[in-house]
Amino acid sequence: MTAGRFQGKRVLVTGGTSGIGRATALAFAEAGADVVLSGRDEARGAEVVAAGAAMAGKLFFLAADLSDSKAVAPLVEAAAERLGGLDIAFNNAGFQERRASLAEQSPETYDQVFNMNLRAVFLAMQAEIKIMLANGGGVIVNNGSVSGLRNPNPGLALYCASKAALLSLTRSAAMEYAGQGVRINAVSPGRVETPMMMAAGVGDRAAVAASLPARRLGRPEEVSAAVLWLASEEASFVFGHNLCVDGGFLSA
């Protein structure tokens, strides 16, 4: 990674205490950005801040539970206040239900999935866009999923539907703000080894890895590299794109 690539940039990473969010927050800080990461677990947040203490950019943690709709805009506003503005946002916080057939899922689980994976991102984008428009522009990257495009494994219908809606929201917002200096895209991980994936019941990891053309699971750092590219000037002509980091899953 080029040192100083994001020097002076102000970044918000939601769901930044583990997995892809943690890797992305640290990658931005290593590249010179000042980063606010959010999450519900203060101990994990402190651990990420400590892990990046020697990096070029500064890391700050703000506790927030984005399943509470009333917490979303205040988080974005607090992050911008802490950083002195907002140039880049990675809307990463998400929730995946335990695997079960659709008829066995409850309305409460539906609300959990869609409140976190769609409503929270919608509310975050509203707040981020307002701040970025006032400051002359910015970049938003939403964390989607290949499950929003294709998922041959049963049991995650709600997650798949929420991510499909998120990708559609991303494209629509990208077209609305492309001419106003706010560039919006998505990254869609495939089978990446994260705590959320493990908690949802992935089953036999070796079998899952063997089913991919790459013959292995992905690493959070491989997704964070894609996020940083989408957020960089190297991707300045990329609008409304969904960059899949999936080990060949969608091509198989």
Side-chain angles (χ1 to χ4, degrees):
M1 181 180 298
T2 305
R5 183 182 180 196
F6 288 93
Q7 191 70 41
K9 295 297 183 182
R10 300 159 297 184
V11 180
L12 167 64
V13 177
T14 69
T17 59
S18 67
I20 292 167
R22 181 185 189 279
T24 303
L26 291 172
F28 271 121
E30 184 180 12
D34 290 337
V35 183
V36 164
L37 60 120
S38 75
R40 288 178 289 189
D41 190 322
E42 294 194 21
R44 285 186 177 181
E47 183 277 324
V48 180
V49 171
M55 291 179 174
K58 296 178 182 177
L59 284 161
F60 307 95
F61 173 72
L62 291 178
D65 179 1
L66 299 190
S67 65
D68 177 1
S69 296
K70 294 179 181 178
V72 180
L75 166 67
V76 176
E77 293 160 4
E81 183 177 355
R82 176 69 62 89
L83 297 170
L86 187 64
D87 302 301
I88 298 165
F90 178 40
N91 295 315
N92 166 73
F95 176 77
Q96 188 177 77
E97 71 269 29
R98 291 289 300 179
R99 290 179 185 270
S101 63
L102 184 65
E104 297 172 329
Q105 298 287 7
S106 69
E108 291 76 18
T109 300
Y110 175 95
D111 289 342
Q112 273 187 296
V113 173
F114 275 81
N115 282 345
M116 182 64 84
N117 293 350
L118 190 62
R119 184 177 178 84
V121 178
F122 157 67
L123 294 171
M125 289 176 69
Q126 282 191 318
E128 292 155 2
I129 288 167
K130 289 174 183 176
I131 292 168
M132 290 175 179
L133 288 175
N135 291 342
V139 179
I140 296 172
V141 180
N142 293 327
N143 196 0
S145 171
V146 294
S147 294
L149 300 167
R150 175 171 70 87
N151 185 12
N153 299 310
L156 296 175
L158 301 179
Y159 180 79
C160 295
S162 69
K163 290 298 186 177
L166 174 60
L167 294 176
S168 182
L169 180 69
T170 300
R171 289 191 297 269
S172 297
M175 296 304 97
E176 289 179 357
Y177 293 99
Q180 300 181 58
V182 179
R183 194 163 54 79
I184 304 171
N185 292 286
V187 63
S188 279
R191 304 304 187 237
V192 177
E193 197 161 1
T194 65
M196 187 174 75
M197 179 182 173
M198 297 301 109
V202 69
D204 187 340
R205 283 186 288 177
V208 173
S211 71
L212 298 173
R215 298 294 185 267
R216 65 174 178 84
L217 298 177
R219 302 188 305 275
E221 292 76 14
E222 292 173 306
V223 181
S224 70
V227 175
L228 265 66
W229 181 78
L230 285 171
S232 75
E233 285 302 310
E234 297 162 12
S236 59
F237 202 54
V238 180
F239 293 81
H241 182 67
N242 177 34
L243 178 54
C244 296
V245 186
D246 64 356
F249 172 76
L250 291 174
S251 299

